[in-house]
Amino acid sequence: MSQRSYNELWANTQADLSQLLEEEMPEEPPKPEKDRVVFFQLLATRYVRYIQIFRRLEKVYDQLVHPQKRRVIRAILEPVMGRILELKNEMVENEFSEYHYMDDILHDLKLLPEHLDIPIPHYFMSEQSKEYQEQKSMLSEIFKTVVIESPAVEVSQKMSREEAIKIIQMAERARQGRLRARLNEESRDMNMMQKTKEQGSANPDLAAISIQKVWRGYIQRKRTKAAREAEMIFLGMVMDPRFQMPTPAETIALANEACTRIKQAEYEEDYQKSLVAITSQLRVSEGHYLRKTMEEQIRQWFIECRELTGAFPDYPDEEEGGSTLIFAESTPEQVLEELAAKEEEETGKKGKDAKDGKDKRKDEEEDAGLKLQPSAFLADLELGCTTFVDFWQTRNESTNFNQRHEIELVKEEKRVEVEEEIRLKVDEQMRLVLEEWKQTIDKDKGGKAKAKKKGGKSGKKKKEKDLTADRTLESLCQELVQQGLLREAQPVKMEEYLGDFSYLGTTLRQNDIEPMPSLSDVRQVLSLYAVLPLGSQLVHEKAPLIKSLLLAGPAGVGKKMLVHAICQETGAFLFDLSPINTARKYPGKSGLAMMVHMVFKVARLMQPSVIWVGDAEKMFYKKVPKDEKELDPKRLKKDLPKSLKLIKAEDRVLVIGTTKAPLAADVKGFCKLFSRVLLIPRPDYGSRFILWKQLIEKHGGTITKALDLSSLAKISDGYTPGHMVHVLQNILTKSRIRQQAEEEALKGWYAKTPLGKKRIKAASGNEEPPKGGKKGKK
């Protein structure tokens, strides 16, 4: 797509967003909804519409090269992400479930299931700060040089005699079953041969009929199969073999996207240089005039106030806006009234708050029902839409074909900053001038002017004691890496966590059957709860705060993979506080406190960060097993929740726990530490079908028509993705893949021989008649 196409897509998206904002902020507040189902439909519909806007804005932001437009888009994109999280939080509170099924809404809006996927913004990784890049390079060097001294603690489990006998019995029964099957097959073949001998020579007509039956059945099955494949391709359920490889147009489009990102970096560098140059130019050309004008206006205000009141006024504090109150289009009387009104507001605020609280409770009693909660992002969205309409909707860009930054807009933006910078300096100087005037002119009326009383002491919270105040960040990182508490995340992406959409979720819930979430639902919820807040500072600060997550599910469903994928998508650093990993490290209470302090301190300094607690059930064991008592798995049970409370909205730190045996732990402890609990089930049929296809190809196998993937997905019910990978690693070995390649090579070679060429022509129906024609019988 060209830059013009992306500009049109942006304009259309802004129109949809403006329409949605009109529905969100009507002139008259909507009445409370008493029907919970209707209210959820309202929430879910807006949620889906915001996701569509998010997907388009992310695409536009990723491919537009105009640096000023990209800033406006990002100022809208992040509040859209935050609004999606707010609606998701309200849906959870309304339905009392982390997973929601909106197949009926997709049908009404004529959308596909993949339109519900949450895209991961590309700028999460491409536009990281210089500080983050320096920390990442420092950590990479540490990983190369530091050797991890403490080996992982493994809990040895001895096999009992009963288990060993059971395994031997299973193997022996399987061997006997295979032997019986082979003997039955040989007996069946012998019976068929004996029957044929007894029948003797068959009737030629019956033999011809039998041959015709076999041949016609074969031809009909072949035609039916071809018709079915054509129908599946037409319906879009199977990819056309002609388009399995990327077409030249797709290759060119991918190359253009890469070139566009390079151009973005080039234009951004030019824009930053222009900002510095224009700011310096404005300071030189307009700075002196602005300063002189401000000083004259402020002196004139001093004189007018003295003429009105008989005394010089108090200079407005910086918290109140300083001289901005003077420069506003207001008379001296109005400025004095505003200052007095602010003081009255501060003194009578407590009584008003108490009265407002009573009125609020009264309104809530009168308006019983379900309402949308106040949003922290709608004002930002409205401001972004206004900026688009004022500056970009009707802007003539016929002379800016290359989409470079516009100098006039830079001047307008920087002129405001230069004015603010000069105003602060003028305020400092004029405060001194006012004090001199008061001392000289008002000396006989009470001496020095009374200093303005400031608010009382604000209640300060007790700061956390820094146990490592004398140590550098690099030394802390080295120690954590050496102890195995700071690890490298594995290179996996969220899109690699494969799974199909849940197509019957709404239908099952309408029949009072709670559906199990699909792997696609798990991926979507984690993108919302973990990836978006960790990737965006604004979203993390203003959206509903999620400090901790628990992923619960059987072994092999991909819990650990999801933790690593979250780190890769957001660039987060991975800390490991699993009970087995922390065993025998930093012994004693003081050592434990030091370990937790170091991990959380470095996590906050190097945010975004993920603190992973593997096998989290061990921390909350109802009864610690005998073979794990020496490891003391419950040692973090008290210290970890205390440190979690210190995480604030501005700290992009997320604690993620994983468990495969939640029944062995105390539920209250889990719920106290983890604010969100996500259940990850075994994959359903659709997810298994996708997994088998992708995993076989990933491990070097080739899927042919001889493999019935549908049957394979059906008989593997109960398998987890981990089980599937284990099966493929044992079956698709290197030697078998090499043998398969050799067989294919031999078949290709044989097709080049004369007889092989004739066979190919005969199969395609282009068989040439034999030369010389038919010879007559003698």
Side-chain angles (χ1 to χ4, degrees):
M1 290 173 65
S2 63
Q3 292 295 303
R4 180 178 179 180
S5 300
Y6 284 114
N7 281 318
E8 291 176 356
L9 179 60
W10 181 26
N12 295 334
T13 306
Q14 286 292 152
D16 293 342
L17 180 58
S18 299
Q19 182 181 356
L20 193 53
L21 287 177
E22 288 178 3
E23 297 175 13
E24 290 255 59
M25 297 185 292
E27 294 181 0
E28 295 183 2
K31 296 181 180 179
E33 181 59 57
K34 296 183 179 180
D35 191 341
R36 189 174 291 274
V37 176
V38 175
F39 185 68
F40 176 78
Q41 288 293 110
L42 171 67
L43 289 173
T45 304
R46 289 187 181 175
Y47 171 79
V48 173
R49 290 171 66 185
Y50 269 114
I51 287 179
Q52 305 317 304
I53 291 171
F54 172 40
R55 290 171 64 88
R56 284 182 278 168
L57 282 176
E58 194 279 328
K59 188 176 182 181
V60 171
Y61 182 78
D62 185 44
Q63 289 301 308
L64 272 185
V65 297
H66 198 297
Q68 291 158 307
K69 288 181 182 178
R70 295 184 80 241
R71 277 163 171 74
V72 176
I73 294 169
R74 182 162 175 178
I76 302 171
L77 179 62
E78 292 190 334
V80 167
M81 289 191 284
R83 185 58 184 151
I84 291 172
L85 288 175
E86 287 180 337
L87 291 172
K88 173 66 177 178
N89 186 61
E90 291 199 45
M91 287 194 294
V92 171
E93 293 178 355
N94 181 75
E95 263 203 333
F96 310 112
S97 174
E98 300 289 353
Y99 300 103
H100 313 289
Y101 305 98
M102 293 167 278
D103 37 303
D104 55 338
I105 296 174
L106 290 178
H107 183 268
D108 294 340
L109 297 177
K110 298 180 180 179
L111 297 173
L112 298 176
E114 51 265 28
H115 289 151
L116 275 183
D117 285 341
I118 304 296
I120 309 299
H122 186 265
Y123 75 87
F124 280 1
M125 292 300 297
S126 62
E127 298 182 15
Q128 294 283 9
S129 63
K130 290 183 179 179
E131 182 183 4
Y132 170 85
Q133 293 173 1
E134 291 173 358
Q135 290 174 350
K136 193 168 185 178
S137 60
M138 174 196 72
L139 201 58
S140 299
E141 292 296 325
I142 292 173
F143 281 125
K144 291 177 184 177
T145 56
V146 174
V147 179
I148 299 175
E149 296 178 357
S150 55
V153 180
E154 295 183 359
V155 180
S156 60
Q157 294 182 351
K158 294 182 179 181
M159 185 183 296
S160 64
R161 178 177 295 181
E162 289 78 9
E163 290 175 343
I165 292 173
K166 189 176 179 181
I167 292 173
I168 294 171
Q169 286 177 343
M170 289 172 61
E172 178 59 23
R173 286 169 184 167
R175 186 191 68 81
Q176 291 179 7
R178 289 192 295 270
L179 184 60
R180 280 195 300 270
R182 190 168 62 194
L183 290 174
N184 289 337
E185 186 178 357
E186 291 176 357
S187 176
R188 191 165 53 249
D189 293 342
M190 289 178 67
N191 291 336
M192 289 294 294
M193 290 174 64
Q194 186 68 26
K195 189 176 180 181
T196 305
K197 288 179 181 179
E198 290 175 356
Q199 287 179 354
S201 58
N203 188 350
D205 294 336
L206 294 176
I209 290 172
S210 298
I211 294 171
Q212 286 176 354
K213 282 182 180 179
V214 173
W215 175 252
R216 286 174 180 172
Y218 168 74
I219 290 295
Q220 188 58 42
R221 285 192 297 272
K222 190 174 181 181
R223 289 173 182 168
T224 304
K225 189 176 181 181
R228 187 182 177 215
E229 288 179 355
E231 183 183 8
M232 297 293 280
I233 291 171
F234 175 74
L235 294 174
M237 299 184 71
V238 175
M239 184 179 287
D240 194 333
R242 295 174 297 175
F243 305 125
Q244 287 182 353
M245 296 297 292
T247 61
E250 291 175 339
T251 306
I252 293 171
L254 291 174
N256 287 339
E257 288 182 3
C259 292
T260 299
R261 293 191 180 100
I262 295 172
K263 194 178 289 185
Q264 283 176 355
E266 178 188 342
Y267 283 15
E268 179 65 25
E269 186 178 354
D270 292 344
Y271 177 65
Q272 293 297 334
K273 291 179 181 178
S274 178
L275 290 177
V276 175
I278 290 174
T279 304
S280 302
Q281 181 184 351
L282 287 173
R283 285 197 190 104
V284 173
S285 61
E286 301 180 11
H288 179 71
Y289 173 76
L290 287 171
R291 187 184 187 96
K292 188 175 180 182
T293 305
M294 289 180 186
E295 290 176 353
E296 290 177 357
Q297 290 179 355
I298 293 171
R299 286 192 181 95
Q300 183 66 26
W301 181 72
F302 291 164
I303 295 169
E304 290 178 0
C305 288
R306 178 175 170 76
E307 290 176 354
L308 287 170
T309 61
F312 286 114
D314 292 328
Y315 205 93
D317 291 337
E318 201 56 50
E319 297 173 356
E320 299 170 348
S323 57
T324 51
L325 294 174
I326 303 170
F327 298 141
E329 295 180 0
S330 305
T331 61
E333 298 95 325
Q334 291 173 336
V335 174
L336 292 172
E337 287 175 2
E338 287 178 9
L339 293 174
K342 284 186 178 180
E343 290 181 0
E344 288 178 5
E345 276 182 19
E346 291 177 0
T347 55
K349 194 174 182 182
K350 291 183 180 179
K352 188 179 179 182
D353 287 344
K355 187 179 179 181
D356 289 345
K358 292 180 181 178
D359 294 341
K360 189 176 180 182
R361 284 193 296 272
K362 188 176 179 182
D363 292 340
E364 287 178 355
E365 290 174 0
E366 291 177 356
D367 299 336
L370 298 169
K371 287 182 178 181
L372 286 169
Q373 297 296 323
S375 173
F377 296 97
L378 288 180
D380 295 336
L381 288 173
E382 191 175 19
L383 178 62
C385 290
T386 305
T387 305
F388 169 75
V389 171
D390 293 345
F391 290 95
W392 299 106
Q393 188 173 22
T394 57
R395 196 174 192 84
N396 183 11
E397 294 186 276
S398 57
T399 58
N400 190 11
F401 179 76
N402 292 325
Q403 293 291 287
R404 295 272 183 176
H405 63 272
E406 300 195 20
I407 302 296
E408 291 303 319
L409 288 178
V410 177
K411 285 184 178 179
E412 291 177 13
E413 178 186 352
K414 288 298 172 183
R415 186 174 283 112
V416 175
E417 293 183 11
V418 170
E419 286 180 1
E420 181 66 15
E421 181 185 327
I422 293 173
R423 185 190 67 78
L424 293 175
K425 294 180 180 178
V426 168
D427 281 358
E428 292 179 6
Q429 183 179 352
M430 297 310 294
R431 282 192 182 92
L432 298 175
V433 171
L434 181 61
E435 289 299 324
E436 291 177 2
W437 284 18
K438 285 182 179 181
Q439 289 176 4
T440 54
I441 298 177
D442 295 340
K443 197 171 183 180
D444 55 336
K445 295 186 178 181
K448 292 184 180 180
K450 293 181 181 179
K452 194 172 183 179
K453 291 183 180 180
K454 294 188 178 180
K457 294 182 180 179
S458 58
K460 295 183 179 179
K461 293 184 179 180
K462 189 177 179 181
K463 290 186 178 180
E464 180 191 6
K465 187 178 180 181
D466 192 353
L467 302 177
T468 55
D470 57 339
R471 295 186 59 181
T472 62
L473 177 62
E474 186 174 359
S475 67
L476 293 173
C477 289
Q478 285 179 347
E479 182 174 342
L480 291 176
V481 171
Q482 192 172 9
Q483 294 293 330
L485 300 176
L486 180 55
R487 301 173 50 184
E488 284 186 288
Q490 297 174 5
V492 291
K493 298 288 186 181
M494 289 294 289
E495 62 185 14
E496 296 177 30
Y497 191 76
L498 304 172
D500 199 10
F501 182 73
S502 181
Y503 296 96
L504 297 175
T506 304
T507 306
L508 291 173
R509 278 194 171 171
Q510 288 173 352
N511 291 282
D512 296 329
I513 300 173
E514 184 61 27
M516 291 297 286
S518 67
L519 300 188
S520 175
D521 298 328
V522 174
R523 183 179 67 238
Q524 182 186 12
V525 171
L526 271 177
S527 297
L528 290 171
Y529 285 171
V531 177
L532 297 187
L534 285 176
S536 170
Q537 185 69 36
L538 176 68
V539 173
H540 196 277
E541 288 181 1
K542 300 178 73 174
L545 182 60
I546 297 176
K547 296 182 180 181
S548 55
L549 284 170
L550 178 66
L551 308 181
V557 293
K559 301 183 292 295
K560 183 179 176 182
M561 175 188 175
L562 286 169
V563 174
H564 288 275
I566 290 168
C567 294
Q568 285 293 333
E569 295 288 4
T570 60
F573 299 101
L574 180 61
F575 298 83
D576 188 358
L577 284 181
S578 304
I580 292 180
N581 189 48
T582 57
R584 303 193 184 104
K585 296 176 183 176
Y586 297 93
K589 289 186 178 181
S590 59
L592 181 62
M594 176 63 73
M595 178 182 69
V596 175
H597 167 77
M598 287 172 58
V599 168
F600 276 84
K601 177 182 177 180
V602 176
R604 285 196 292 266
L605 291 174
M606 298 177 63
Q607 54 183 285
S609 301
V610 170
I611 300 174
W612 174 43
V613 183
D615 295 327
E617 75 278 358
K618 296 180 183 295
M619 285 201 321
F620 302 97
Y621 264 145
K622 295 176 183 176
K623 185 178 180 181
V624 180
K626 291 181 180 179
D627 53 356
E628 295 186 27
K629 282 187 177 179
E630 60 179 11
L631 303 179
D632 193 11
K634 299 174 71 173
R635 63 196 298 240
L636 283 170
K637 183 178 179 180
K638 294 182 180 179
D639 290 78
L640 193 58
K642 290 179 182 178
S643 299
L644 188 63
K645 290 180 182 178
L646 299 174
I647 296 177
K648 301 176 183 176
E650 58 268 20
D651 299 327
R652 285 187 291 162
V653 178
L654 181 65
V655 177
I656 302 179
T658 57
T659 175
K660 59 186 176 183
L663 298 176
D666 180 25
V667 178
K668 290 184 179 179
F670 263 159
C671 297
K672 186 178 179 181
L673 178 62
F674 300 105
S675 57
R676 300 280 186 177
V677 179
L678 302 180
L679 177 64
I680 305 180
R682 290 182 172 87
D684 54 8
Y685 168 80
S687 298
R688 291 195 304 274
F689 187 93
I690 295 172
L691 281 166
W692 278 122
K693 185 176 183 298
Q694 297 291 335
L695 290 174
I696 289 172
E697 293 176 349
K698 183 179 179 180
H699 285 78
T702 304
I703 297 176
T704 61
K705 297 177 181 179
L707 177 61
D708 189 354
L709 277 177
S710 179
S711 298
L712 182 60
K714 188 69 177 175
I715 64 174
S716 57
D717 188 13
Y719 278 40
T720 65
H723 293 147
M724 295 180 183
V725 172
H726 182 67
V727 168
L728 290 171
Q729 287 174 347
N730 290 335
I731 294 175
L732 289 176
T733 59
K734 291 182 179 179
S735 60
R736 285 181 175 171
I737 294 172
R738 187 168 58 251
Q739 288 174 4
Q740 186 181 13
E742 289 175 357
E743 290 176 2
E744 294 296 328
L746 285 172
K747 287 180 182 178
W749 172 82
Y750 183 76
K752 296 177 182 178
T753 62
L755 193 60
K757 290 179 180 178
K758 289 180 180 180
R759 183 171 179 79
I760 292 173
K761 287 181 179 179
S764 61
N766 298 326
E767 185 179 4
E768 296 179 0
K771 294 181 179 180
K774 295 182 180 179
K775 293 184 179 180
K777 292 183 179 179
K778 291 183 180 179

